[in-house]
Amino acid sequence: MIKNGSLSTHIHQTTSRIVVTTNTDGSPCSYMDDLIWDYNGMLSCAVGTSPIINFQYINRAHRLGIQTTLYQITKNKRLSFESIDSNRYMLQTISELIGSVDWNIINVEENYIKFKVALKIKQYSPRTVREIRSVINTLFDHGLTKRYISSKEMLDKYYSSNEEVKQHIAVPERMMSRLLSKAIEIIETYHPYRHAISDAYNAYYYEQKRRIDNGISTEHLGRWARNNIKHGVPLAEFNIDYTAKQAVEIQTACWIVLIGFSGIRKNEGLLMNPDCYDDSRKYNNYVIPIIHGQITKTQPTGKPKKESWITHPIVKTALELAYDMSEFSRIRYREKLGRLPSSASNIRLMHETSSAFLKLYYKENRESVIRRNIGDNIYNFAAKYNIRASSDDVIEFNLLNPTRKGQLSTGGLLPKLSNHDFRRSYAVFIMRNRFGNI
């Protein structure tokens, strides 16, 4: 965060270069012509990501023009990192469509028609086309082009893809119940052994490092682990390997329970740990379990705001299991970060090691610690445990998801299953059962 509390982009003019971003102490961090603009000292961003804009892969002939324009249209504005990066992407897209960073090219009607033809060929989504239009109008507002595109042109209707926008799915209740039941079963099975799981992987990665440091092959390390690591987890299906496959599945079960019983967004859920759980509140002598965290999505400049979600007591067990079994990974990330120079980026990463959802397959050269792709395993989890549709499930699916009618068949798997599908399913469940308003 900026030292004086303001989150607007601070620009300091030097004798030869323009400073675009600053460190937390206000000293220059990134200059306008740098390949990297580092906002770590100024802005927050999504959990598990870095607030860094990389210009390295932009056409060199367009790069400085895009950097100069981005600076001009974002300076002194209270924008989130995501908004600034979106502007960068749209400027890059427009430059590719017109083959230049001279935005005045589209002042000429003939060139504007060519731009629209190129736009149509690309088949962008209506949302992307609206964002392109918005950025062109921002260029107009800053005197960088004389072309203003009115909403009456309906650019997003006539020059975007014709593909129908489909909602995230609402999972039929019985399918969701079976999925959550399986996740809970795994959690309750492994929760008593959560420390033993961490100790086992700690021993594995310690031996791996010892071998690498001494030039010893790690080819048969898995076999060595099975014969030598006495992990104390009395379950035949539990085993240890270099990708932490078993631990990842357990972690996925914990994640499914968290998002299934709270409707929390991915970025907010990824920072959860056992300390976030609170059962101190009661209503009519009933305990009201709550998890506390922060939201950034709806906040100006992405500044986190405290938020709470009503949940279920099983979430406490899930968070304890996910957090304690990942201690082996947490120790290594913290040791690595402790050896590095202090910086806004490293401070952020150290804070993120308090998450229950760390990357479990440890690598020394990782630049992130949280498992941001955790939702990628949900579909495979459902497939592995045979969460398939009955004829009644199909009827309910078609009713809840009219834009996806026909995508689920009797005996089949869900067509997709993501973090946000859980969020929509949670909202639908609340509304259908009249538990509240959303």
Side-chain angles (χ1 to χ4, degrees), residues 268-303:
E268 284 110 35
L270 284 172
L271 276 181
M272 289 286 151
N273 62 40
D275 291 338
C276 298
Y277 183 84
D278 176 9
D279 57 6
S280 64
R281 292 168 172 78
K282 290 186 177 181
Y283 180 76
N284 287 343
N285 292 321
Y286 288 98
V287 172
I288 308 298
I290 292 172
I291 48 175
H292 302 291
Q294 295 180 326
I295 61 172
T296 59
K297 185 178 177 72
T298 58
Q299 302 307 300
T301 71
K303 184 177 181 179

CSV table of all heavy atoms in Angstrom, one decimal, residues 268-303:
chain,number,residue,atom,x,y,z
A,268,GLU,N,-11.5,-15.1,-2.1
A,268,GLU,CA,-11.7,-14.9,-0.6
A,268,GLU,C,-11.5,-16.2,0.1
A,268,GLU,O,-10.9,-16.2,1.2
A,268,GLU,CB,-13.1,-14.4,-0.3
A,268,GLU,CG,-13.3,-12.9,-0.7
A,268,GLU,CD,-14.2,-12.7,-1.9
A,268,GLU,OE1,-15.2,-13.4,-2.1
A,268,GLU,OE2,-14.0,-11.7,-2.6
A,269,GLY,N,-11.9,-17.3,-0.5
A,269,GLY,CA,-11.7,-18.6,0.1
A,269,GLY,C,-10.3,-19.0,0.2
A,269,GLY,O,-9.9,-19.7,1.2
A,270,LEU,N,-9.5,-18.6,-0.7
A,270,LEU,CA,-8.1,-19.1,-0.7
A,270,LEU,C,-7.3,-18.5,0.5
A,270,LEU,O,-6.2,-19.1,0.7
A,270,LEU,CB,-7.4,-18.6,-2.0
A,270,LEU,CG,-7.8,-19.5,-3.3
A,270,LEU,CD1,-7.2,-18.9,-4.5
A,270,LEU,CD2,-7.3,-20.9,-3.1
A,271,LEU,N,-7.7,-17.5,1.2
A,271,LEU,CA,-7.0,-17.0,2.3
A,271,LEU,C,-7.6,-17.5,3.6
A,271,LEU,O,-7.1,-17.1,4.7
A,271,LEU,CB,-7.0,-15.5,2.3
A,271,LEU,CG,-5.9,-14.8,1.5
A,271,LEU,CD1,-6.0,-13.3,1.6
A,271,LEU,CD2,-4.5,-15.3,1.9
A,272,MET,N,-8.5,-18.5,3.6
A,272,MET,CA,-9.1,-19.0,4.8
A,272,MET,C,-8.1,-19.9,5.5
A,272,MET,O,-7.3,-20.6,4.9
A,272,MET,CB,-10.4,-19.8,4.5
A,272,MET,CG,-11.5,-18.9,4.0
A,272,MET,SD,-12.2,-18.0,5.4
A,272,MET,CE,-12.9,-16.5,4.6
A,273,ASN,N,-8.3,-19.9,6.9
A,273,ASN,CA,-7.6,-20.9,7.7
A,273,ASN,C,-8.4,-21.1,9.0
A,273,ASN,O,-9.5,-20.5,9.1
A,273,ASN,CB,-6.1,-20.4,8.0
A,273,ASN,CG,-6.2,-19.1,8.8
A,273,ASN,OD1,-7.0,-18.9,9.7
A,273,ASN,ND2,-5.2,-18.2,8.5
A,274,PRO,N,-8.0,-22.0,9.9
A,274,PRO,CA,-8.9,-22.3,11.0
A,274,PRO,C,-9.2,-21.1,11.9
A,274,PRO,O,-10.3,-21.1,12.5
A,274,PRO,CB,-8.1,-23.3,11.8
A,274,PRO,CG,-7.2,-24.0,10.8
A,274,PRO,CD,-6.9,-22.9,9.8
A,275,ASP,N,-8.3,-20.1,11.9
A,275,ASP,CA,-8.6,-18.9,12.7
A,275,ASP,C,-9.8,-18.1,12.2
A,275,ASP,O,-10.3,-17.2,12.9
A,275,ASP,CB,-7.4,-18.0,12.8
A,275,ASP,CG,-6.3,-18.7,13.7
A,275,ASP,OD1,-6.6,-19.6,14.5
A,275,ASP,OD2,-5.1,-18.3,13.5
A,276,CYS,N,-10.2,-18.3,10.9
A,276,CYS,CA,-11.3,-17.6,10.3
A,276,CYS,C,-12.6,-18.1,10.8
A,276,CYS,O,-13.6,-17.4,10.7
A,276,CYS,CB,-11.2,-17.7,8.8
A,276,CYS,SG,-9.7,-17.0,8.1
A,277,TYR,N,-12.7,-19.3,11.4
A,277,TYR,CA,-13.9,-19.9,11.8
A,277,TYR,C,-14.3,-19.3,13.2
A,277,TYR,O,-13.5,-19.2,14.1
A,277,TYR,CB,-13.8,-21.4,11.9
A,277,TYR,CG,-15.1,-22.1,12.3
A,277,TYR,CD1,-16.0,-22.4,11.3
A,277,TYR,CD2,-15.3,-22.4,13.6
A,277,TYR,CE1,-17.2,-23.1,11.7
A,277,TYR,CE2,-16.5,-23.1,14.0
A,277,TYR,CZ,-17.5,-23.4,13.0
A,277,TYR,OH,-18.6,-24.0,13.3
A,278,ASP,N,-15.6,-19.0,13.3
A,278,ASP,CA,-16.1,-18.4,14.6
A,278,ASP,C,-17.5,-19.0,14.9
A,278,ASP,O,-18.4,-18.9,14.1
A,278,ASP,CB,-16.2,-16.8,14.3
A,278,ASP,CG,-16.8,-16.1,15.5
A,278,ASP,OD1,-17.0,-16.7,16.6
A,278,ASP,OD2,-17.1,-14.9,15.3
A,279,ASP,N,-17.5,-19.6,16.1
A,279,ASP,CA,-18.8,-20.2,16.5
A,279,ASP,C,-19.3,-19.5,17.9
A,279,ASP,O,-20.0,-20.1,18.7
A,279,ASP,CB,-18.8,-21.7,16.7
A,279,ASP,CG,-17.7,-22.1,17.6
A,279,ASP,OD1,-17.0,-21.3,18.3
A,279,ASP,OD2,-17.4,-23.4,17.7
A,280,SER,N,-18.9,-18.3,18.0
A,280,SER,CA,-19.2,-17.6,19.3
A,280,SER,C,-20.6,-17.0,19.3
A,280,SER,O,-21.1,-16.5,20.4
A,280,SER,CB,-18.1,-16.5,19.5
A,280,SER,OG,-18.2,-15.5,18.5
A,281,ARG,N,-21.2,-16.9,18.2
A,281,ARG,CA,-22.6,-16.3,18.1
A,281,ARG,C,-23.7,-17.3,18.2
A,281,ARG,O,-23.6,-18.4,17.7
A,281,ARG,CB,-22.7,-15.5,16.8
A,281,ARG,CG,-21.8,-14.3,16.7
A,281,ARG,CD,-21.8,-13.7,15.3
A,281,ARG,NE,-21.1,-12.4,15.2
A,281,ARG,CZ,-19.8,-12.3,15.2
A,281,ARG,NH1,-19.0,-13.4,15.3
A,281,ARG,NH2,-19.2,-11.1,15.1
A,282,LYS,N,-24.8,-16.9,18.9
A,282,LYS,CA,-25.9,-17.7,19.0
A,282,LYS,C,-27.2,-17.0,18.7
A,282,LYS,O,-27.3,-15.8,18.9
A,282,LYS,CB,-26.0,-18.3,20.4
A,282,LYS,CG,-25.0,-19.3,20.8
A,282,LYS,CD,-25.2,-19.9,22.2
A,282,LYS,CE,-24.2,-21.0,22.5
A,282,LYS,NZ,-24.5,-21.6,23.8
A,283,TYR,N,-28.2,-17.7,18.2
A,283,TYR,CA,-29.5,-17.1,18.0
A,283,TYR,C,-30.6,-18.2,18.5
A,283,TYR,O,-30.6,-19.3,18.0
A,283,TYR,CB,-29.7,-16.8,16.5
A,283,TYR,CG,-31.1,-16.3,16.2
A,283,TYR,CD1,-31.4,-14.9,16.5
A,283,TYR,CD2,-32.1,-17.1,15.6
A,283,TYR,CE1,-32.6,-14.4,16.2
A,283,TYR,CE2,-33.3,-16.5,15.4
A,283,TYR,CZ,-33.6,-15.2,15.7
A,283,TYR,OH,-34.9,-14.7,15.4
A,284,ASN,N,-31.4,-17.8,19.5
A,284,ASN,CA,-32.3,-18.7,20.1
A,284,ASN,C,-31.6,-20.0,20.6
A,284,ASN,O,-32.1,-21.1,20.3
A,284,ASN,CB,-33.5,-19.0,19.1
A,284,ASN,CG,-34.4,-17.9,19.0
A,284,ASN,OD1,-34.4,-16.9,19.8
A,284,ASN,ND2,-35.2,-17.9,17.9
A,285,ASN,N,-30.5,-19.8,21.2
A,285,ASN,CA,-29.7,-20.9,21.7
A,285,ASN,C,-29.1,-21.8,20.6
A,285,ASN,O,-28.5,-22.9,21.0
A,285,ASN,CB,-30.5,-21.8,22.7
A,285,ASN,CG,-30.8,-21.0,24.0
A,285,ASN,OD1,-30.0,-20.2,24.5
A,285,ASN,ND2,-32.1,-21.2,24.5
A,286,TYR,N,-29.1,-21.4,19.4
A,286,TYR,CA,-28.5,-22.2,18.3
A,286,TYR,C,-27.2,-21.5,17.9
A,286,TYR,O,-27.2,-20.2,17.7
A,286,TYR,CB,-29.4,-22.3,17.1
A,286,TYR,CG,-30.6,-23.2,17.2
A,286,TYR,CD1,-31.8,-22.7,17.5
A,286,TYR,CD2,-30.4,-24.6,17.0
A,286,TYR,CE1,-32.9,-23.6,17.7
A,286,TYR,CE2,-31.5,-25.4,17.2
A,286,TYR,CZ,-32.7,-24.9,17.5
A,286,TYR,OH,-33.8,-25.8,17.6
A,287,VAL,N,-26.1,-22.2,17.8
A,287,VAL,CA,-24.8,-21.6,17.4
A,287,VAL,C,-24.9,-21.3,15.9
A,287,VAL,O,-25.4,-22.0,15.1
A,287,VAL,CB,-23.7,-22.7,17.6
A,287,VAL,CG1,-22.4,-22.1,17.0
A,287,VAL,CG2,-23.5,-22.9,19.1
A,288,ILE,N,-24.4,-20.1,15.6
A,288,ILE,CA,-24.4,-19.6,14.2
A,288,ILE,C,-22.9,-19.6,13.8
A,288,ILE,O,-22.2,-18.7,14.1
A,288,ILE,CB,-24.9,-18.2,14.1
A,288,ILE,CG1,-26.3,-18.0,14.7
A,288,ILE,CG2,-25.0,-17.8,12.6
A,288,ILE,CD1,-27.4,-18.9,14.1
A,289,PRO,N,-22.5,-20.7,13.1
A,289,PRO,CA,-21.1,-20.7,12.6
A,289,PRO,C,-20.8,-19.7,11.5
A,289,PRO,O,-21.6,-19.6,10.6
A,289,PRO,CB,-21.0,-22.2,12.1
A,289,PRO,CG,-22.3,-22.6,11.8
A,289,PRO,CD,-23.3,-21.8,12.7
A,290,ILE,N,-19.7,-19.0,11.6
A,290,ILE,CA,-19.4,-18.0,10.7
A,290,ILE,C,-17.9,-18.1,10.3
A,290,ILE,O,-17.1,-18.5,11.1
A,290,ILE,CB,-19.7,-16.6,11.3
A,290,ILE,CG1,-21.2,-16.3,11.5
A,290,ILE,CG2,-19.1,-15.4,10.4
A,290,ILE,CD1,-21.5,-15.1,12.2
A,291,ILE,N,-17.6,-17.7,9.1
A,291,ILE,CA,-16.2,-17.6,8.7
A,291,ILE,C,-15.9,-16.1,8.4
A,291,ILE,O,-16.8,-15.5,7.7
A,291,ILE,CB,-15.7,-18.5,7.6
A,291,ILE,CG1,-16.7,-18.4,6.4
A,291,ILE,CG2,-15.5,-19.9,8.0
A,291,ILE,CD1,-16.3,-19.2,5.2
A,292,HIS,N,-14.8,-15.6,8.8
A,292,HIS,CA,-14.5,-14.2,8.6
A,292,HIS,C,-13.3,-14.1,7.6
A,292,HIS,O,-12.4,-14.9,7.6
A,292,HIS,CB,-14.0,-13.5,9.9
A,292,HIS,CG,-15.1,-13.5,11.0
A,292,HIS,ND1,-16.2,-12.8,10.9
A,292,HIS,CD2,-15.1,-14.2,12.2
A,292,HIS,CE1,-17.0,-13.0,12.0
A,292,HIS,NE2,-16.3,-13.9,12.8
A,293,GLY,N,-13.4,-13.1,6.7
A,293,GLY,CA,-12.3,-12.9,5.8
A,293,GLY,C,-12.4,-11.5,5.2
A,293,GLY,O,-12.8,-10.6,5.8
A,294,GLN,N,-11.9,-11.4,4.0
A,294,GLN,CA,-11.8,-10.1,3.3
A,294,GLN,C,-12.3,-10.3,1.8
A,294,GLN,O,-12.1,-11.3,1.2
A,294,GLN,CB,-10.4,-9.6,3.3
A,294,GLN,CG,-9.9,-9.2,4.6
A,294,GLN,CD,-8.5,-8.7,4.6
A,294,GLN,OE1,-7.7,-9.0,3.7
A,294,GLN,NE2,-8.2,-7.7,5.5
A,295,ILE,N,-12.9,-9.2,1.3
A,295,ILE,CA,-13.3,-9.2,-0.1
A,295,ILE,C,-12.6,-8.1,-0.8
A,295,ILE,O,-12.3,-7.1,-0.1
A,295,ILE,CB,-14.8,-9.1,-0.3
A,295,ILE,CG1,-15.4,-7.7,0.3
A,295,ILE,CG2,-15.6,-10.2,0.3
A,295,ILE,CD1,-16.8,-7.5,0.0
A,296,THR,N,-12.3,-8.2,-2.1
A,296,THR,CA,-11.7,-7.2,-2.8
A,296,THR,C,-12.4,-6.9,-4.1
A,296,THR,O,-12.2,-5.8,-4.7
A,296,THR,CB,-10.2,-7.6,-3.2
A,296,THR,OG1,-10.3,-8.8,-4.0
A,296,THR,CG2,-9.4,-7.8,-2.0
A,297,LYS,N,-13.2,-7.8,-4.6
A,297,LYS,CA,-13.8,-7.7,-5.9
A,297,LYS,C,-14.6,-6.4,-6.1
A,297,LYS,O,-14.5,-5.8,-7.2
A,297,LYS,CB,-14.7,-8.9,-6.2
A,297,LYS,CG,-15.3,-8.9,-7.6
A,297,LYS,CD,-16.1,-10.2,-7.8
A,297,LYS,CE,-16.8,-10.2,-9.2
A,297,LYS,NZ,-15.8,-10.4,-10.3
A,298,THR,N,-15.4,-6.0,-5.2
A,298,THR,CA,-16.3,-4.9,-5.3
A,298,THR,C,-15.7,-3.6,-4.7
A,298,THR,O,-16.4,-2.6,-4.6
A,298,THR,CB,-17.7,-5.1,-4.7
A,298,THR,OG1,-17.4,-5.4,-3.3
A,298,THR,CG2,-18.3,-6.3,-5.3
A,299,GLN,N,-14.4,-3.7,-4.3
A,299,GLN,CA,-13.8,-2.5,-3.6
A,299,GLN,C,-13.0,-1.6,-4.5
A,299,GLN,O,-12.3,-2.1,-5.4
A,299,GLN,CB,-12.9,-3.0,-2.5
A,299,GLN,CG,-13.6,-3.9,-1.5
A,299,GLN,CD,-14.9,-3.2,-0.9
A,299,GLN,OE1,-14.8,-2.2,-0.3
A,299,GLN,NE2,-16.0,-3.8,-1.1
A,300,PRO,N,-13.1,-0.3,-4.4
A,300,PRO,CA,-12.3,0.6,-5.2
A,300,PRO,C,-10.8,0.3,-4.9
A,300,PRO,O,-10.4,0.2,-3.8
A,300,PRO,CB,-12.7,2.0,-4.7
A,300,PRO,CG,-13.4,1.8,-3.4
A,300,PRO,CD,-13.9,0.4,-3.4
A,301,THR,N,-10.0,0.3,-6.0
A,301,THR,CA,-8.6,0.1,-6.0
A,301,THR,C,-8.2,-1.3,-5.5
A,301,THR,O,-7.1,-1.6,-5.2
A,301,THR,CB,-7.8,1.1,-5.2
A,301,THR,OG1,-8.1,1.0,-3.8
A,301,THR,CG2,-8.2,2.5,-5.6
A,302,GLY,N,-9.2,-2.2,-5.3
A,302,GLY,CA,-9.0,-3.5,-4.8
A,302,GLY,C,-8.6,-3.6,-3.3
A,302,GLY,O,-8.1,-4.6,-2.9
A,303,LYS,N,-8.8,-2.5,-2.6
A,303,LYS,CA,-8.4,-2.5,-1.2
A,303,LYS,C,-9.3,-3.5,-0.4
A,303,LYS,O,-10.6,-3.4,-0.5
A,303,LYS,CB,-8.6,-1.1,-0.6
A,303,LYS,CG,-8.1,-1.0,0.9
A,303,LYS,CD,-8.2,0.4,1.4
A,303,LYS,CE,-7.8,0.5,2.8
A,303,LYS,NZ,-7.8,1.9,3.3
